[in-house]
Amino acid sequence: MSKLIAFAAIQGGYKVVAQVEGELEKALQTYDASTKVGFPNTAYYLPVIYSLTGLKVETIEDLKAPLAFARGLLPPHLKLKNWLPYLGPLLDAGMAGVIAYEVKEALRYLNDPDFYIAQEDPDVDNGKLWVGAADDTILRKRGVEFVDGSAPGFAAMVGAAPNKEIAKMIVEDYQKRSLYIFCAANHNGNTIIEQCLDAGMQVGWNTRIVPFGPDISSAVFALGFANRAAMAFGGVQPGDYKTILKYNKERVFAFVNALGDVGTEWGVAAAGCVNWGFPTIADTPIPEILPTGICTYEHVVAPVAHEDMVQKSVEVRGLKVQVADIDIPCAFGPAYEGERVRGADLYAQCGGGKTQCTELVKMADMNEIEDGKINLVGPDLDGIKEGGTFPLGIFVQIAGREFQEDFEPIMERQIHHLINYIQTIMHIGQRDISWIRISKAAIEKGFTLKDIGTVLHAKFHQDFTKIVDKVEVTLYTNPEDVDKMTATARENYQLRDARVDTMKDEDVDIFYSCTLCQSFAPSHVCSVSPERTGLCGAYNWMDCKAAYEINPTGPNQPIEKGEVIDAKLGQFKGVNDFIYKASRGMVTHYNFYSMVHDPMTTCGCCECIAAMLPACNGVMTVGRDYTGDTPCGMKFTTLAGVMGGGASSPGFVGHSKHNITQGKFILGDGGLLRMVWMPKMLKEELKDRIVARGEEMGVPGLFDMIADETVGITEEEILPFLQEKGHPALNMESIVG
């Protein structure tokens, strides 16, 4: 850390303690030693001194002990030629300054009893701007808000902004985040409180803009309020300074905004606040203290532009944004997740094989994005005729101190049910095969595409408070923009899926569940293993593991494999026990590695559906982006309607694209060597992986042996092709048993 800031804080400590010692000596000469001192209407004496040391200050004589204690805390002056870890001396100097400031304010109450007005709000008309220390009535009324979360913390603002407009901008932004604004000190004779009044704002406890006092010493009232809340509502005992300070660091998300030149007296006050875990964010180029230690993150950050002051303060303190309301015209909630938007009710749609609809979540740096910003690039729904279609790309950027790239697919998969929570909006699928249907009723209420961004921003903050600090959403509706985003998204999907390519099911004792789709398929329980990605394609085993770490009570639960019942077909006692409970008794068991014998249940979000082709002694698969006929006699939509409601359907199974080339794909039935037909677009997409898997299974020419729609769309049409190519499925044991 910087020698300069440590030097300034320590110098400030010596200066403040010496000044207050002089004021106390003068008071002792003026008043009798037994003269009562203290803050009005409180049982906490001088609360900082009482809470940290246990000393009960009731008379002028009693002020000697805490001031002597402060003098004892002052560290030696820095020797600038010798390096030292300066944080310890800085903290001691800061605490000495805070204690001295509280003595100073007690003397002010004695010497000028009318300086502060003893009420919640100032009397502006009569020039009584400063309310001073909060009494116990205010503490009981307001302090509980710091416990129940309705007031997550406070911004201690010292000094003044360059003008009233900037002051109003910063203060109102804090109000929107439910923070209190505790104001003290002046800069060149001006204060943030006077600027707020000039800007037409109301100040006082009732508007959470609290005018403590015009001097830096009055900032001690904020620390006193925090410590009293810890004692009153946290059960911390006076004198237990370690617990007091720890409580404030972990429970009261406060910080200092220094607006104006930071001299030695401000410096020691800022250093004192660090003891509480409260960092300082300044608008002037003072030396920074960036390494973590006492505060959650940085201790002093500067210079920060005024338009960035609020967001940077929230970020540095680790305060999580609380979004109470979701401002969209439609009703919102889990009750609407299972709603269908049928043809007669449909206004417009995207995806579902009709247009491209892609979703991507990416991690961003804190400075790259703006929290709450919703961008629409392209036309909105008002440019679409009833019954029309449009392309859509949903790109979400998330920044967070605790956010990791591993969390991207977990957040991405939330888009499915969060959009479904919007009344009369239907969402199916994920990644680059999403399908959204928007009802006429939603349009009549005023629904726009930006409302999707509003929902994602609010719910990501609400549901993932620990890891999310900022969310920005961009919605693309121009075809070229959606195609460009889709190409980027597919690159990301491939990188994510590749993370589990070297893992085997035998390597782990834990599989994971996914029940996100039970709103549409109540009995469906997807089980994800290293060699069987979720049938939606959005989650692999590592994704589910990360999702469980984020949300231990969420839809991705660990499943103990337990006893192996059938190694060939992939049936495990632990999995059976789990799915029986999770399906509410509707499904007793299923096999991981078979589509012929009791396969896994399937929901409508699957990327592909495989079906048995008995005449070819093999299987086919079809992805949802292929709309043509298939050799099993059913299109994808028909297959999904028949067995996509959460049933286990022998001869059929839903799966992801990636799963086709994983080691355990229907291995109990012969594996990929049974694959005799797939759409050309899917086959080409997976070409490299099919070639590699075929070589691994001893059939290097497998890719060229698989038929597609250019060969035929019936078993009779493709069988001669398979015979000509010598497809291995024709020589395997009968698939029908």
Side-chain angles (χ1 to χ4, degrees), residues 8-21 48-49 52 66-75 89-105 216-221 223 264-273 275-276:
I10 292 172
Q11 287 295 102
Y14 274 95
K15 178 180 178 181
V16 170
V17 170
Q19 285 178 345
V20 177
E21 285 174 336
V48 170
I49 293 169
L52 298 179
L67 202 53
F69 182 79
R71 169 63 67 177
L73 285 174
L74 292 173
L90 179 142
L91 293 172
D92 287 342
M95 188 61 80
V98 167
I99 291 172
Y101 278 144
E102 192 166 49
V103 173
K104 180 181 180 70
E105 287 298 331
I216 188 61
S217 57
S218 49
V220 77
F221 296 141
L223 298 176
T264 56
E265 293 185 19
W266 282 24
V268 73
C273 290
N275 285 280
W276 275 256

Side-chain angles (χ1 to χ4, degrees), residues 571-591:
Q571 188 174 152
F572 308 91
K573 185 178 185 305
V575 175
N576 288 346
D577 293 343
F578 184 93
I579 61 175
Y580 179 77
K581 181 178 180 181
S583 70
R584 300 167 183 83
M586 299 296 293
V587 181
T588 60
H589 66 284
Y590 55 50
N591 296 310

Side-chain angles (χ1 to χ4, degrees), residues 168 285 694:
K168 182 180 181 182

Side-chain angles (χ1 to χ4, degrees), residues 314-372:
V314 167
E315 171 199 331
V316 171
R317 184 59 185 94
L319 176 65
K320 300 301 181 178
V321 172
Q322 301 295 320
V323 182
D325 298 318
I326 299 175
D327 186 17
I328 62 173
C330 301
F332 181 87
Y336 304 110
E337 187 177 11
E339 280 187 329
R340 298 281 183 174
V341 177
R342 306 193 185 279
D345 304 318
L346 179 67
Y347 178 83
Q349 60 184 316
C350 61
K354 299 169 178 60
T355 63
Q356 183 61 48
C357 184
T358 303
E359 299 162 353
L360 179 65
V361 170
K362 289 294 293 177
M363 184 175 76
D365 290 336
M366 285 286 193
N367 297 327
E368 287 181 344
I369 63 174
E370 179 181 334
D371 186 47

Side-chain angles (χ1 to χ4, degrees), residues 32 36-37 68 79 90 146 177 230 252 270 391 422 481 543 594:
D32 186 270
K36 296 291 184 181
V37 295
K79 297 179 181 179
L90 179 142
F146 290 85
R177 298 166 192 257
V252 179
I422 307 172
D481 292 329
D543 296 334
S594 176

Side-chain angles (χ1 to χ4, degrees), residues 5 256-258 262 270 274 278-291 295 297-305 308-309 312-313 315-317 367 401:
I5 196 166
V256 178
N257 282 169
V262 179
V274 170
F278 301 165
T280 292
I281 297 86
D283 65 350
T284 55
I286 62 174
E288 296 182 296
I289 306 178
L290 298 181
C295 296
Y297 300 115
E298 297 87 357
H299 299 79
V300 177
V301 178
V304 176
D308 301 327
M309 180 70 71
K312 190 66 176 178
S313 299
E315 171 199 331
V316 171
R317 184 59 185 94
N367 297 327
R401 293 275 189 163

